[in-house]
Amino acid sequence: MKVFASQKLHKPSCCQSTLCAKMQGLSTTGTLNSSKSTYLGGTRSVCAPRLVASNTPTRHGGSGRSRMPLKIVAARVAGVEIPNAKKLEVSLTYIYGIGPTKSKEIMTNTQIENKRVKDLSEEELTKLRKEVEEGSYLIEGDLRRFNAMNIKRLIDIQCYRGKRHQMSLPVRGQKTKTNARTRKGKKKTVAGKKK
């Protein structure tokens, strides 16, 4: 009779033998066989606890769960979370209305060097927030509102550009026989159009 590697009996280590003793102790006391838990007055059925031997020492005391320390993922400037891992010059461009040129201008005004956002000190962040929010920059909601009001004005006076906006067609004289899909949207096939 052949004996395969999976069928070979191996000698249990000291960790495994203590685990086996614990399991036998549980089964003899009857806690393993109980089908109802004491949680919520015994209305919830639970399975037997599964004990697993591990090489790492377990932490005793407390709830038994170890929590990961909190990690700041992004800094908040002007109501927008700018990425932490990127350099300040690039991170500021995540704010609507601030491009590369404006971000360089903000950095020169605040005297902050171009380093990663996570490396900024708290006072540098407050200085940056103050410059962006209280400076003469048209950003985020104000800029979106400004653009929307300009389009609304063109539609109200019913000029050519306003009508093009209304019909959602290109405004600046581009051809529409082909292309212009960004403005027109997905193709709508019309029957009997081909000659």
Side-chain angles (χ1 to χ4, degrees):
M1 185 176 154
K2 288 185 181 178
V3 179
F4 295 102
S6 60
Q7 293 174 335
K8 283 182 183 174
L9 296 171
H10 62 277
K11 191 177 177 183
S13 66
C14 70
C15 185
Q16 288 174 336
S17 61
T18 54
L19 180 65
C20 293
K22 280 183 186 176
M23 287 298 287
Q24 285 173 349
L26 281 173
S27 62
T28 55
T29 54
T31 53
L32 189 65
N33 299 332
S34 63
S35 61
K36 301 279 183 180
S37 72
T38 55
Y39 179 69
L40 295 176
T43 56
R44 218 173 115 206
S45 60
V46 291
C47 299
R50 186 169 161 240
L51 297 174
V52 179
S54 65
N55 296 336
T56 56
T58 54
R59 194 179 64 130
H60 296 290
S63 63
R65 290 185 189 165
S66 60
R67 287 208 173 145
M68 292 294 289
L70 290 174
K71 190 171 78 175
I72 299 167
V73 178
R76 204 165 182 81
V77 178
V80 178
E81 288 185 351
I82 61 172
N84 241 0
K86 296 190 177 178
K87 295 240 175 154
L88 183 61
E89 191 180 325
V90 176
S91 288
L92 283 174
T93 60
Y94 278 68
I95 301 168
Y96 184 73
I98 295 178
T101 311
K102 279 248 175 77
S103 75
K104 281 178 189 161
E105 187 184 318
I106 289 166
M107 284 167 54
T108 53
N109 290 351
T110 55
Q111 306 285 297
I112 299 172
E113 63 181 86
N114 189 20
K115 54 186 175 183
R116 300 202 185 277
V117 177
K118 62 184 172 190
D119 299 333
L120 291 173
S121 66
E122 196 57 46
E123 61 187 45
E124 285 175 326
L125 266 173
T126 51
K127 200 192 292 185
L128 186 71
R129 283 189 194 111
K130 190 176 179 185
E131 174 65 30
V132 170
E133 290 165 8
E134 295 174 13
S136 60
Y137 307 107
L138 197 59
I139 53 166
E140 282 301 316
D142 296 335
L143 181 58
R144 290 179 209 273
R145 207 172 303 112
F146 177 77
N147 291 342
M149 289 303 289
N150 281 340
I151 293 168
K152 189 178 180 298
R153 177 179 53 82
L154 292 172
I155 291 169
D156 288 345
I157 62 173
Q158 284 292 292
C159 67
Y160 177 78
R161 283 169 63 208
K163 285 178 181 174
R164 299 299 280 181
H165 273 296
Q166 211 168 17
M167 293 187 290
S168 71
L169 290 169
V171 177
R172 298 179 179 180
Q174 298 96 316
K175 67 175 184 177
T176 56
K177 183 176 181 178
T178 59
N179 302 335
R181 293 291 17 142
T182 306
R183 288 292 303 194
K184 290 167 94 174
K186 204 163 187 265
K187 225 179 251 187
K188 301 171 199 91
T189 309
V190 181
K193 190 81 176 174
K194 233 177 180 180
K195 287 184 181 177

